[in-house]
Amino acid sequence: MRSTPQASRVALKPPGSVAGFVDGAWWPRSLDLAAELPSLLAALADRLERAGRVTFNLTAWKPPARRLSVDGKDVRLEGFRTQHANTLTVIGTDRRTRLTLLVIPPATDSAHAYQVLEAAAERDNVDGPDALLRDRAGSATQRWETEGGRLQRV
């Protein structure tokens, strides 16, 4: 089931989609992970019965506690310097179910953020975080120029 980005600021690929780098995207309102996670986990409840662990980049968020109580259940928070700064992984208590989400920076303008939410949730999208976060309006020109083409300005 695909979430409506305007309602929850979360969008997921449909079940059975090509995994790619991310399973969807999340646009938090702040960099306070402890304050933002309860609403994220509630939005993921249809796809992930219960979260047991969340991994994130240590330098991307305000440092949270190592555990967070959500609806009376503990969720372990584990920060890593090696995890991409714009991703977060939610792992179910069964340790098999996991969702890796692109994290859209809170300060992103809404039009661009909603474009990124939609792109990350496309069934066959396999783009990585950097490609997804790039301004999609200019991405064709950027791709052309990085692949050796040059636009001539007249």
Side-chain angles (χ1 to χ4, degrees):
M1 179 175 151
R2 190 165 161 166
S3 300
T4 305
Q6 289 80 359
S8 64
R9 297 168 68 111
V10 175
L12 298 174
K13 290 180 180 176
S17 299
V18 172
F21 197 96
V22 296
D23 300 301
W26 174 43
W27 184 29
R29 296 180 191 281
S30 75
L31 292 176
D32 184 346
L33 189 58
E36 297 291 334
L37 270 179
S39 62
L40 172 64
L41 298 180
L44 298 178
D46 286 348
R47 291 279 286 275
L48 190 70
E49 186 175 319
R50 185 168 166 272
R53 188 170 91 166
V54 174
T55 67
F56 59 95
N57 180 285
L58 275 171
T59 62
W61 298 90
K62 176 180 161 189
R66 295 180 55 81
R67 291 193 184 277
L68 177 68
S69 181
V70 178
D71 295 330
K73 308 234 179 350
D74 278 350
V75 177
R76 236 174 47 207
L77 305 180
E78 297 179 343
F80 298 96
R81 293 188 192 289
T82 56
Q83 184 162 341
H84 192 287
N86 291 102
T87 65
L88 175 135
T89 301
V90 182
I91 303 164
T93 54
D94 64 2
R95 296 184 183 163
R96 290 183 312 227
T97 309
R98 65 181 55 222
L99 294 170
T100 298
L101 301 177
L102 172 72
V103 177
I104 302 167
T108 304
D109 77 87
S110 61
H112 182 65
Y114 289 127
Q115 282 181 335
V116 175
L117 281 166
E118 286 297 315
E122 289 174 0
R123 175 178 291 281
D124 298 322
N125 189 309
V126 294
D127 289 340
D130 297 329
L132 284 164
L133 288 170
R134 186 173 37 236
D135 183 0
R136 300 199 99 48
S139 63
T141 301
Q142 290 169 352
R143 194 167 39 252
W144 170 260
E145 290 184 353
T146 59
E147 291 175 352
R150 292 286 178 258
L151 290 180
Q152 291 182 343
R153 310 274 185 224
V154 188

